[in-house]
Amino acid sequence: MLVAGHLYPDLLNLYGDRGNLIAFARRCTWRNIPVTVREIILGEPVDFRELDFLFIGGGSDREQGIMAEDLRRHRDNLGEAIEDGLVVLAICGGYQFLGHHYQTGTERVIPGLGLLDLYTQAGPRRLIGNCAVEVELDGRPVRITGFENHSGRTFLGRVQPLGRVLAGYGNNGTDGLEGVRFRNVFCSYLHGPLLPKNPRLTDHLVSLALKRVGRNPALAPLDDRLEERAGAAALARLGLG
Ligand code: GLN
């Protein structure tokens, strides 16, 4: 049984982010891999080490301000779980939280958990639009697509990016980098939702979660023709056909 967690589902769920968990769970159940989804609400106790996959979605600056304090009490436990191999997908606002801080457009500094060496600073205009990124999965280049809408510009320290921007802005619109990859943590600015649009990335996360519980990470193939056509259309629209 895989245990998937959704952190603050009622506060962090922009642009259909919840679809990431639905895609993760569906691609498990289509292969008869039992999975349960646990929602983690503000103020609720949780031991992240008991999870195999954690999803953190995006939020507005206002929502991020509300949950920053609650999140702080989880810092050490989440850090231990990450060191222990917890698979994490964090999008946009959720991604910013894992870094040192997010300085909003109103000069307010929302503290992050500091679990990843990065920080975010709001810029003068929002970075909005469809985006394509080349990532490496199991040694092979894969093009993923999504939609970004953020004012934060994220700058990386001693962590690797998730991939390189082919079209769109990515982390900050200047250095050509998108997201972060650290142990089994994957961060990205791409909403979409990301996982339904990019089944190869979803399967990569499912395999990592299976490894975490000591199960065979090899996955039976699924019929992804529709997803592949949608992905190709999204790339073509960005001039990357
Ligand atoms: N509020 C953050 C920003 O504007 C995150 C936005 C989001 O999650 N889409 O950068």
Side-chain angles (χ1 to χ4, degrees), residues 21 44 46 57 135 158 190 217 220 235 239:
L21 264 177
E44 205 177 72
V46 58
V135 305
R158 293 179 309 275
L190 272 55
L235 287 169

Side-chain angles (χ1 to χ4, degrees), residues 108-127:
R108 174 175 178 206
V109 177
I110 300 177
L113 294 181
L115 295 172
L116 302 179
D117 187 18
L118 56 93
Y119 71 93
T120 305
Q121 198 151 12
R125 61 183 183 91
R126 297 190 73 78
L127 306 179

Side-chain angles (χ1 to χ4, degrees), residues 124-142:
R125 61 183 183 91
R126 297 190 73 78
L127 306 179
I128 304 173
N130 290 313
C131 188
V133 179
E134 183 166 282
V135 305
E136 204 181 287
L137 298 178
D138 294 324
R140 292 218 195 107
V142 175

